[in-house]
Amino acid sequence: EHWNSFIVEEDFNFISQNGLNAVRIPVGWWTAINPTPWPFVEGSLQILDRAFSWAEKYDLKVIIDLHAAPGSQNGYEHSASRDGSQEWGTNDTIAQTITVIDFLTNRYAKSPSFLAMELLNEPRAPGATLDTLKKYYQDAYNTVRKYTIDAYVIMCNRLSASPTELLQFASGLQGSVVDVHYYNLYTSNFNGLNVQQNIDYLNNNRSAELSTVDSSNGSPLVLVGEWVAEWEVNDATKEDYQRFAAAELNVFGRASFGWAYWTLKNVQNHWSLEWMITNGYIKITS
């Protein structure tokens, strides 16, 4: 019922009519591995198929984002860890993950909407070591290239690690993209910042970091794969949010591979790009 009512065809039409050209779709490993994946809900592969059909109809591109890998790559609930455990990185879990990448790339490589495969979302340091991650990324990259030379291959930075740690590695891989996520949330340095201080942080700190990460003459490209127009400011006005969102769009719009908002729909209004656009908080210019 949720799948059939939450994201519907009209949402893809909305996306295409509002200056956006792609969707980043998070998937779990069980989408490819097991048709009856207890305790997960059966049927996600058919929903992904449907999303591709809508994307093709409305001339949108699709990034498949492996958001939950076997064993959990970060220990958070959005990677399907129920108890905080982070067990991805063993030989068995990596082999399983390669199988997932193989299956999904093979299934969608011939779709005109297939833009990129994101090999893993937000692996977390130090549990996911850099050496382990780079070996996985190399093997998964090679797997994607078995089926397509045109699709981009996106490699997400590790949480709690240097934003530049993948640049040298990825620069040797044609069609590679490094994914960085920027939130003015989740760390104490944003506590107590007012509206202008948050905007200044974007224009100074974020802009400088993005310029550093994205300074390799096009190889690899850089995606700001997640951001949101939300912050720790209390009682902010609509105009405050508009200014903040405009600053984010200005800075993140410089990324060589573009950006993706987290997320299209959410019960919390500012986390819903659809709500933000409909209510005049964000204006996307194509």
Side-chain angles (χ1 to χ4, degrees), residues 5 33 73:
S5 60
I33 291 286
Q73 71 275 17

Side-chain angles (χ1 to χ4, degrees), residues 5-252:
S5 60
F6 184 55
I7 301 294
V8 296
E9 180 176 345
E10 179 52 34
D11 294 312
F12 279 68
N13 183 40
F14 176 89
I15 290 166
S16 69
Q17 295 299 313
N18 281 278
L20 299 158
N21 60 11
V23 291
R24 177 176 179 261
I25 302 179
V27 301
W29 59 268
W30 53 91
T31 299
I33 291 286
N34 190 341
T36 54
W38 188 92
F40 306 107
V41 179
E42 180 180 354
S44 57
L45 183 60
Q46 289 69 39
I47 301 303
L48 186 57
D49 286 345
R50 188 173 68 183
F52 264 89
S53 69
W54 290 340
E56 291 169 9
K57 180 175 180 178
Y58 294 103
D59 195 26
L60 297 170
K61 299 299 185 182
V62 176
I63 297 169
I64 302 177
D65 154 39
L66 184 58
H67 217 76
S72 175
Q73 71 275 17
N74 56 41
Y76 297 126
E77 69 277 8
H78 56 76
S79 65
S81 179
R82 303 181 72 175
D83 57 5
S85 61
Q86 177 188 0
E87 298 174 354
W88 182 87
T90 64
N91 288 338
D92 287 348
T93 58
I94 291 176
Q96 277 188 296
T97 312
I98 293 291
T99 299
V100 172
I101 298 300
D102 188 288
F103 177 91
L104 293 172
T105 308
N106 182 33
R107 190 175 188 87
Y108 299 111
K110 291 182 174 56
S111 168
S113 287
F114 183 52
L115 177 65
M117 174 64 70
E118 181 154 8
L119 302 178
L120 198 61
N121 177 72
E122 293 187 343
R124 181 163 60 98
T129 68
L130 183 58
D131 286 345
T132 296
L133 189 65
K134 288 197 291 188
K135 184 180 187 309
Y136 162 68
Y137 279 162
Q138 180 69 66
D139 292 345
Y141 174 90
N142 294 341
T143 299
V144 173
R145 288 287 173 257
K146 289 194 310 184
Y147 302 104
T148 171
I149 61 171
D150 297 320
Y152 292 92
V153 182
I154 303 175
M155 306 172 192
C156 192
N157 275 337
R158 293 188 301 164
L159 298 175
S160 307
S162 168
T164 63
E165 68 177 9
L166 290 174
L167 292 184
Q168 183 175 2
F169 166 77
S171 65
L173 302 175
Q174 183 177 3
S176 64
V177 180
V178 171
D179 182 5
V180 295
H181 295 175
Y182 289 140
Y183 292 97
N184 279 31
L185 295 160
Y186 304 129
T187 59
S188 59
N189 55 312
F190 297 112
N191 296 344
L193 296 190
N194 62 28
V195 171
Q196 191 57 49
Q197 287 170 329
N198 272 278
I199 292 173
D200 290 344
Y201 188 92
L202 282 167
N203 290 330
N204 298 320
N205 303 62
R206 292 290 193 217
S207 180
E209 180 178 309
L210 186 58
S211 294
T212 299
V213 175
D214 210 357
S215 61
S216 53
N217 298 319
S219 180
L221 300 172
V222 172
L223 167 70
V224 181
E226 291 185 19
W227 64 277
V228 66
E230 187 59 289
W231 46 10
E232 300 287 358
V233 177
N234 295 319
D235 302 319
T237 66
K238 180 176 181 178
E239 182 183 4
D240 293 333
Y241 275 101
Q242 288 172 322
R243 291 176 56 219
F244 181 57
E248 290 180 299
L249 283 168
N250 179 50
V251 173
F252 302 154

